[in-house]
């Protein structure tokens, strides 16, 4: 890295230091828009209740759902930025060789990052209920590996943790054997 690291190098440094992607302005605006939408919806349903169009129990249920959504959905969205940490007790080169072997065994093409030799990527298709193109980002470090799997077309807040835990477990078993 030179005197003035570019945006990619800053993001890589942030990931290595914090174990997650750094939120950008669009992510923050999306979260604020989501929060504003839930607040407006809550006020709107309260106004409908005041006019006598819905009962108190209906208002209570809707407001509870909106409150839960206001807390849960942004938390899930922010969670998609995090990486799973796989502790290996192996040096960088050994971690990188093991991950490359794992990806090739899975039949995935390894994509090397021109920005940093510790970053590897692979594209895969998740064949769950619906087929989704997924991106796996792996950062190899001394004594650990950082793993993030996400949809290639945006944040998949509902399946994010399931996919990451599944692959984390597979990689841990592959490295141990």
């Amino acid at each position: 890295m030179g005197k003035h690291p570019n945006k990619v190098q800053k993001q890589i440094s942030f990931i290595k230091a914090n174990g997650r992607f750094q939120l950008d302005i669009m992510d923050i605006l999306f979260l604020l828009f989501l929060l504003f939408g839930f607040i407006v919806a809550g006020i709107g349903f309260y106004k409908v209740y005041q006019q006598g169009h819905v009962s108190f129990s209906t208002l209570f249920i809707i407001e509870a759902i909106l409150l839960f959504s206001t807390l849960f959905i942004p938390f899930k969205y922010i969670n998609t930025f995090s990486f799973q940490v796989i502790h290996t007790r192996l040096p960088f080169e050994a971690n990188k060789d093991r991950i490359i072997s794992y990806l090739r065994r899975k039949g995935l093409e390894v994509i090397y990052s021109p920005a940093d030799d510790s970053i590897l990527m692979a594209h895969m298709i998740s064949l769950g209920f619906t087929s989704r193109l997924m991106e796996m980002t792996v950062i190899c470090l001394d004594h650990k590996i950082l793993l993030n799997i996400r949809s290639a077309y945006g944040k998949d807040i509902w399946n994010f943790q399931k996919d990451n835990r599944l692959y984390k477990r597979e990689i841990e078993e592959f490295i141990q054997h």
Side-chain angles (χ1 to χ4, degrees):
M1 286 189 217
K3 273 187 166 182
H4 303 287
N6 66 23
K7 186 176 181 178
V8 173
Q9 291 169 329
K10 287 180 184 176
Q11 184 73 273
I12 293 168
S13 296
F14 187 87
I15 292 168
K16 288 179 178 180
N18 299 297
R20 65 178 177 82
F21 287 105
Q22 188 173 15
L23 275 71
D24 63 11
I25 190 69
M26 293 306 290
D27 297 316
I28 294 168
L29 289 175
F30 172 75
L31 290 170
L32 290 173
F33 176 75
L34 196 64
L35 181 62
F36 179 73
F38 286 134
I39 291 171
V40 168
I43 292 170
F45 280 112
Y46 181 72
K47 294 291 183 186
V48 170
Y49 165 73
Q50 282 183 329
Q51 294 172 358
H53 296 293
V54 294
S55 67
F56 178 76
S57 59
T58 303
L59 173 71
F60 180 76
I61 291 169
I62 291 173
E63 292 292 335
I65 290 170
L66 286 171
L67 179 62
F68 178 75
S69 298
T70 302
L71 300 174
F72 181 72
I73 291 175
F75 175 75
K76 290 285 280 184
Y77 180 78
I78 290 172
N79 199 24
T80 65
F81 290 88
S82 66
F83 281 72
Q84 294 285 322
V85 179
I86 302 169
H87 297 282
T88 63
R89 293 182 275 165
L90 297 172
F92 166 74
E93 286 298 328
N95 283 334
K96 188 173 178 179
D97 291 341
R98 298 265 171 101
I99 285 296
I100 291 170
S101 296
Y102 169 79
L103 294 173
R104 288 189 177 143
R105 184 188 72 127
K106 295 288 283 182
L108 301 172
E109 181 180 350
V110 179
I111 303 166
Y112 299 91
S113 170
D116 191 326
D117 67 337
S118 66
I119 299 175
L120 304 170
M121 292 188 71
H123 290 171
M124 65 191 105
I125 296 177
S126 174
L127 299 174
F129 181 68
T130 59
S131 296
R132 302 180 326 264
L133 180 61
M134 306 294 286
E135 291 179 346
M136 176 187 288
T137 303
V138 180
I139 299 178
C140 300
L141 303 168
D142 281 332
H143 311 293
K144 67 181 175 181
I145 296 169
L146 303 176
L147 172 71
N148 181 284
I149 299 171
R150 67 197 167 285
S151 171
Y153 304 111
K155 309 282 187 283
D156 183 5
I157 65 174
W158 309 116
N159 297 308
F160 169 76
Q161 288 181 328
K162 179 184 69 165
D163 292 333
N164 277 288
R165 287 180 185 151
L166 172 74
Y167 280 97
K168 178 184 178 187
R169 195 171 346 139
E170 271 188 21
I171 291 170
E172 286 174 335
E173 290 173 6
F174 183 82
I175 289 174
Q176 289 176 359
H177 292 98

